[in-house]
Amino acid sequence: MVTKTEPESSDFDRDTALKAFDDTKAGVKGLVDAGIAKIPPIFLHSRPNAASVQSTPGHTESELPVIPTVDLQGVDGDPNLRRRVIWQVNDACRRWGFFQVINHGIPTTLLNKMMEGVKGFHELETEVKKGFYTRDYSKTLTYNCNFDFYQSPAVNWRDTVSCVMAPRPPNPKELPQVCGETMVDYSTQVMLLARRLFVLLSEALGLNPSYLNDIGCSEGLMFFGHYYPACPEPDLTMGISSHSDSSFLTVLLQDQIGGLQVQCDNHWVDVEPNTSALVINVGDLLQNLWTCVQLISNDEFKSSQHRVLTKFIGPRVSVACFLRQQLPPENSRVYGPVKELVSEENPPVFRKTAVKEFVKYYYAKGLNGISALEHFRL
């Protein structure tokens, strides 16, 4: 465990330091470009007590848990294969809340182009990027350092460009030239994949195949392009602190640097990069729908805590697409446990809530390591 290091000066004013950094509009990359050797106090973290399985004595390589990989090749044509894939998805969501998917139908050329586009945006001249820097999330596109910059106990070592891509696509003229067209193309492909995944998830729950799509789980998409610069003191900060996602489902594209970890049995397990795979994880909103599935799966599907470690090397680039509604009126829709799965023996765990209410609380709370779902527990 890394102990949080307090600033040496007793007159350190955190609020002033936060504002001074934010006012530069240069993000974490601006610090790296300036050649800093020590990270500013606002970025100092305490690492969680849970150890990484990979660093735990007594584990051989063959014993290390591995995030499941699901192959979608032929899943729509072979009934026996489809049943096997549905079982794999069910098991992965129940045990991990995470899996990687291959043969997902999105061309590798588009994946690479999307990564290059996000990297290209974050490596634009600072004066160009400043035109996009904002904390006004009503804007079409936002660029900043940490959405919870002023709420979190410590700032994460990460800059992000984000945009609502569906159900109402942005005007392409409002998107950065370096990546805007690719954002539109990639988001369209992710939504097609998400619809396929929600069909498999519905079947895994014993519901009508169209159930999750019919109730709007695949209608909204929020795009996040993350950039994690190389860090001079990686043991003292985090790329993203422990959290679960505010989505129904998240589709993640990551590069080969690594750093993403999922919590399992009080250990942190690496999600190993795979050039041909996308990482899929259950979000809080979907967990709220199916917290009453014990009679089907003997356990509940879960939105797992995950985090990103910082490294000496970088930058690390990733693209996270959150399948959920962000803007009115779509975000006013109310969701709760699936009524077909509720019984006297299997009662609801969380109360019904509108996406708008959930996202508002999630943003106000920030990434403090506590699931936003706990606020809505009955």
Side-chain angles (χ1 to χ4, degrees):
M1 176 180 177
V2 174
T3 303
K4 185 172 178 179
T5 305
E6 296 298 334
E8 292 183 4
S9 174
S10 60
D11 60 357
F12 174 76
D13 186 330
R14 179 175 177 79
D15 290 341
T16 299
L18 286 170
K19 187 175 186 308
F21 173 85
D22 207 26
D23 285 348
T24 68
K25 299 184 178 181
V28 177
K29 187 176 185 300
L31 295 175
V32 175
D33 290 344
I36 64 163
K38 289 186 172 293
I39 64 173
I42 60 173
F43 289 91
L44 295 175
H45 279 251
S46 293
R47 285 284 174 89
N49 287 318
S52 168
V53 169
Q54 280 74 350
S55 63
T56 303
H59 282 88
T60 66
E61 185 174 348
S62 61
E63 293 174 331
L64 295 178
V66 178
I67 305 298
T69 297
V70 176
D71 188 346
L72 295 184
Q73 184 70 45
V75 71
D76 296 322
D78 183 336
N80 291 326
L81 174 61
R82 187 176 187 84
R83 281 192 290 272
R84 184 162 67 250
V85 168
I86 290 171
W87 181 89
Q88 290 173 337
V89 169
N90 185 324
D91 185 63
C93 290
R94 177 171 54 84
R95 291 176 55 231
W96 291 90
F98 265 76
F99 59 95
Q100 299 207 62
V101 62
I102 58 174
N103 291 314
H104 42 68
I106 303 181
T108 302
T109 51
L110 181 55
L111 301 182
N112 293 339
K113 190 176 180 182
M114 188 70 266
M115 296 294 277
E116 292 167 2
V118 169
K119 185 173 185 287
F121 172 84
H122 285 285
E123 294 183 353
L124 290 170
E125 293 292 331
T126 301
E127 291 305 313
V128 176
K129 288 189 295 182
K130 282 183 177 180
F132 296 101
Y133 200 96
T134 181
R135 297 197 178 277
D136 179 357
Y137 290 97
S138 67
K139 291 185 176 294
T140 298
L141 182 134
T142 61
Y143 154 65
N144 57 43
C145 173
N146 293 217
F147 77 90
D148 57 347
F149 185 79
Y150 291 100
Q151 292 96 337
S152 62
V155 179
N156 286 314
W157 195 258
R158 178 189 84 252
D159 298 328
T160 301
V161 59
S162 62
C163 184
V164 178
M165 301 301 294
R168 286 164 285 160
N171 183 336
K173 294 180 180 179
E174 297 182 76
L175 301 179
Q177 186 173 356
V178 69
C179 61
E181 182 178 348
T182 309
M183 287 171 63
V184 174
D185 293 343
Y186 178 71
S187 297
T188 299
Q189 291 295 314
V190 167
M191 292 193 74
L192 291 174
L193 171 62
R195 290 190 64 83
R196 294 179 67 196
L197 292 172
F198 280 124
V199 168
L200 296 174
L201 291 166
S202 295
E203 293 185 50
L205 289 170
L207 301 169
N208 184 298
S210 66
Y211 187 96
L212 293 174
N213 284 315
D214 287 347
I215 64 173
C217 292
S218 59
E219 290 178 1
L221 187 146
M222 187 75 184
F223 177 103
F224 296 89
H226 298 309
Y227 186 92
Y228 307 80
C231 182
E233 297 181 297
D235 289 340
L236 298 182
T237 190
M238 296 290 293
I240 298 184
S241 48
S242 177
H243 68 288
S244 55
D245 289 345
S246 63
S247 58
F248 293 105
L249 205 66
T250 301
V251 178
L252 177 75
L253 170 63
Q254 63 169 342
D255 64 16
Q256 298 304 296
I257 287 182
L260 174 63
Q261 295 185 323
V262 178
Q263 191 172 45
C264 178
D265 297 330
N266 204 37
H267 290 287
W268 289 100
V269 180
D270 291 336
V271 181
E272 296 292 345
N274 181 336
T275 55
S276 60
L278 291 167
V279 180
I280 311 297
N281 68 275
V282 173
D284 288 343
L285 289 172
L286 198 51
Q287 182 178 341
N288 190 7
L289 289 178
W290 58 31
T291 47
C292 300
V293 303
Q294 288 92 337
L295 296 181
I296 295 174
S297 66
N298 199 35
D299 200 352
E300 64 182 45
F301 291 6
K302 58 184 178 181
S303 51
S304 295
Q305 292 287 311
H306 51 287
R307 67 183 186 182
V308 174
L309 303 182
T310 45
K311 296 192 175 188
F312 280 115
I313 59 173
R316 177 183 186 268
V317 176
S318 69
V319 178
C321 289
F322 281 20
L323 276 299
R324 66 161 166 77
Q325 300 91 343
Q326 176 78 5
L327 302 174
E330 294 87 356
N331 69 353
S332 297
R333 190 166 186 170
V334 175
Y335 289 91
V338 176
K339 63 180 180 180
E340 288 87 345
L341 303 177
V342 176
S343 67
E344 185 174 339
E345 299 79 15
N346 212 31
V349 178
F350 303 105
R351 64 179 172 85
K352 294 181 179 180
T353 181
V355 176
K356 176 173 62 177
E357 180 186 4
F358 185 85
V359 172
K360 181 180 179 180
Y361 176 76
Y362 188 97
Y363 272 59
K365 175 186 73 69
L367 305 183
N368 60 0
I370 301 172
S371 172
L373 275 177
E374 293 304 312
H375 180 71
F376 300 92
R377 186 177 290 273
L378 290 170

